């Protein structure tokens, strides 16, 4: 793995809808290869989310404090750029008609945790999404499409490196905010909000996902 590189503020994600379904990410330069290298290496080595978190925490804990901060900056950048009403509608569909604010945040973290290829693929194409089809939500278990803990792993590594553990939060997030500057902009999702429960609209915007996850 290579050291994390500074974020270039002029690099943006390009969003698009394909003819078949919603594409999450068409092209990305805002997140350096290092974020995906961390994520994908942990996916290769860890069979489940807990094991992957432990591997990721261990790897980050061997890095410098600026590198840990930059990891969070890139993670925040990816989840921020993934915040669109179309993707939220896709999450609504997967969750049976409604996904909360927190659920959508954790869903985006989960998408990042699937790795670059899955993050770049149409939602309905992701094998991890197809595995959920036809299964009751109470049986999703480790396949649950949300990964809240990923958002805390850099904070935990920062605490290990500084030796102050739970008391490092303020210093960590101040360092992250200093790196981010004013780059993230509005917290509102991009695009136009629409009701995924309207079958005609859902069939037009998310044709395959509507068939895979009927309401």
């Amino acid at each position: 793995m290579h050291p994390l590189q500074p974020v270039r503020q002029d690099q943006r994600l390009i969003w698009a809808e394909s003819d078949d379904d919603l594409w999450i990410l068409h092209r990305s330069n805002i997140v350096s290869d290092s974020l995906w290298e961390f994520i994908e290496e942990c996916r290769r080595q860890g069979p489940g989310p807990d094991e992957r978190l432990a591997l990721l925490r261990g790897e980050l804990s061997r890095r410098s404090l600026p590198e840990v901060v930059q990891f969070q900056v890139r993670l925040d950048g990816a989840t921020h750029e993934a915040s669109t009403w179309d993707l939220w509608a896709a999450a609504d569909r997967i969750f049976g008609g409604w996904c909360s604010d927190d659920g959508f945040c954790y869903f985006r973290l989960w998408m990042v945790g699937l790795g670059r290829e899955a993050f770049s693929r149409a939602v309905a194409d992701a094998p991890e999404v197809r595995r959920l089809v036809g299964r009751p939500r109470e049986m999703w278990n480790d396949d649950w499409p949300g990964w809240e803990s990923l958002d805390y792993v850099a904070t935990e590594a920062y605490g290990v490196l500084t030796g102050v553990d739970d008391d490092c939060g303020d210093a960590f997030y101040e360092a992250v905010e200093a790196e981010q500057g004013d780059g993230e902009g509005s917290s509102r999702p991009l695009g136009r909000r629409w009701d995924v429960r309207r079958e005609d609209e859902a069939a037009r915007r998310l044709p395959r996902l509507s068939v895979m996850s009927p309401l």
Side-chain angles (χ1 to χ4, degrees), residues 172-188:
F172 174 73
Y173 288 112
E174 286 173 5
V176 170
E177 289 173 6
E179 287 294 312
Q180 289 173 334
D182 298 326
E184 288 201 1
S186 172
S187 60
R188 286 184 57 79

Side-chain angles (χ1 to χ4, degrees), residues 85-98:
W85 286 118
D86 284 338
L87 184 58
W88 200 332
D92 279 339
R93 197 80 195 188
I94 292 167
F95 279 100
W98 184 77

Side-chain angles (χ1 to χ4, degrees), residues 36 68 135 191:
W36 300 115
V68 175
R135 292 168 54 195

Side-chain angles (χ1 to χ4, degrees), residues 154-213:
T155 316
E156 295 166 357
Y158 195 92
V160 170
L161 288 168
T162 58
V164 294
D165 296 329
D166 294 339
D167 295 328
C168 76
D170 289 345
F172 174 73
Y173 288 112
E174 286 173 5
V176 170
E177 289 173 6
E179 287 294 312
Q180 289 173 334
D182 298 326
E184 288 201 1
S186 172
S187 60
R188 286 184 57 79
L190 301 174
R192 181 179 66 85
R193 189 172 190 173
W194 58 280
D195 187 356
V196 76
R197 290 178 291 271
R198 286 185 52 188
E199 290 297 336
D200 57 339
E201 186 82 345
R204 183 176 68 84
R205 291 176 173 268
L206 303 171
R208 286 180 293 164
L209 197 57
S210 296
V211 172
M212 289 166 55
S213 301

Side-chain angles (χ1 to χ4, degrees), residues 120-158:
S120 303
R121 179 186 291 135
V123 177
D125 282 343
E128 292 81 3
V129 171
R130 293 200 299 269
R131 281 203 297 267
L132 304 176
V133 175
R135 292 168 54 195
R137 283 191 291 279
E138 59 269 20
M139 297 179 63
W140 285 357
N141 300 321
D142 284 348
D143 290 328
W144 188 273
W147 202 13
E148 178 184 3
S149 300
L150 179 60
D151 204 27
Y152 308 132
V153 68
T155 316
E156 295 166 357
Y158 195 92

